Amino acid sequence: MDIHPPMKPVETLKEFAMHLFIVTLGILIALSLEGLLEWRHHTELAEEARTNIRSEIRDNEKSIDHFLKAVPEIRKKQMAVLDDIREILTRGKTKATSFELGLALAELNNTSWTTAQTVGAIGFIPYAEVKEYAGVYRLQDEFLRMQTRAEDSVVNAITLFSENQDPNKIPRPDLEAEKDKIMASITTLTAEAQIGEALDRTYKEVHK
């Protein structure tokens, strides 16, 4: 903002007061316009961040819904393998020709949330709303940690199996160890599904 001196020398107190008034008024108008532009920029930044976060949550909700629908079938497969192993351990054999464990992964993103924090947009969104988003992504992180554990437990459980291996020919000590691994996998899947259900409810709360 430029402040120019009067076109002619100030000769009276009245002229000085008028010039001071005009300068002060100009400064106030300039500051008001600058503040208005800054407020508008912050509002647009917050709205863009809000739109992106809600879109990301909506996509994550679809992914978690897909995972939850797959859980019963995964649990069914894991329980079937556990039953087959128990049958071999108790009766010496099973009719099963192979072991198959299921696995489903939910692809959940946090890019919009992280970006909003990085560019400072979070500071221009109401606190209650930010708190709600933070709770969603905190629970999402907890689910992803549990999902990693579930994935590791399945991978660990199937190391003994091969596509063409006859389950009845697996040594008993290996089957005993495998039984414990599968039971742990089932337990982890249950915990993962419980967190997934809570996360799904939290996602839906955001859209209300």
Side-chain angles (χ1 to χ4, degrees):
M1 179 179 65
D2 296 328
I3 299 177
H4 300 285
M7 299 296 294
K8 62 179 182 176
V10 177
E11 297 178 350
T12 66
L13 183 61
K14 182 178 179 181
E15 290 178 348
F16 174 77
M18 178 60 67
H19 176 68
L20 181 61
F21 171 76
I22 293 173
V23 170
T24 303
L25 182 62
I27 292 174
L28 291 175
I29 292 174
L31 290 175
S32 297
L33 289 174
E34 185 178 350
L36 180 62
L37 290 174
E38 187 175 357
W39 172 82
R40 182 176 178 180
H41 171 69
H42 292 166
T43 301
E44 291 176 349
L45 189 65
E47 185 57 35
E48 182 180 4
R50 179 185 290 110
T51 300
N52 291 338
I53 289 172
R54 287 180 172 272
S55 177
E56 183 171 73
I57 288 176
R58 193 173 293 107
D59 290 340
N60 289 344
E61 182 185 346
K62 293 177 182 177
S63 187
I64 205 71
D65 283 342
H66 179 75
F67 162 79
L68 291 173
K69 289 177 181 177
V71 167
E73 183 62 25
I74 296 172
R75 183 180 287 112
K76 180 180 178 181
K77 288 182 178 180
Q78 293 186 358
M79 290 298 299
V81 172
L82 182 60
D83 290 341
D84 290 336
I85 290 177
R86 285 171 172 166
E87 186 176 22
I88 297 174
L89 293 174
T90 56
R91 299 183 179 181
K93 64 178 181 179
T94 180
K95 293 181 180 179
T97 57
S98 63
F99 289 154
E100 180 186 356
L101 295 174
L103 178 65
L105 299 176
E107 184 178 347
L108 307 179
N109 298 306
N110 66 351
T111 304
S112 295
W113 172 246
T114 302
T115 300
Q117 291 177 303
T118 302
V119 301
I122 292 298
F124 308 117
I125 298 177
Y127 174 77
E129 189 175 350
V130 173
K131 184 178 179 181
E132 183 179 32
Y133 295 148
V136 169
Y137 283 97
R138 198 160 43 239
L139 187 58
Q140 179 173 300
D141 287 342
E142 185 178 347
F143 173 83
L144 289 173
R145 285 192 293 271
M146 184 58 69
Q147 178 171 263
T148 299
R149 287 179 57 186
E151 185 179 5
D152 290 343
S153 68
V154 170
V155 172
N156 187 40
I158 64 176
T159 52
L160 180 65
F161 308 152
S162 66
E163 188 173 342
N164 300 318
Q165 185 176 19
D166 184 352
N168 295 293
K169 294 181 179 180
I170 298 176
R172 185 181 182 87
D174 291 342
L175 285 175
E176 290 281 6
E178 208 63 30
K179 181 187 70 172
D180 293 338
K181 292 179 183 179
I182 294 173
M183 290 176 65
S185 181
I186 294 171
T187 300
T188 304
L189 175 64
T190 300
E192 182 188 13
Q194 289 174 346
I195 298 175
E197 289 169 356
L199 181 58
D200 187 51
R201 290 193 297 270
T202 305
Y203 284 152
K204 287 176 170 56
E205 283 292 326
V206 173
H207 302 312
K208 287 186 177 181

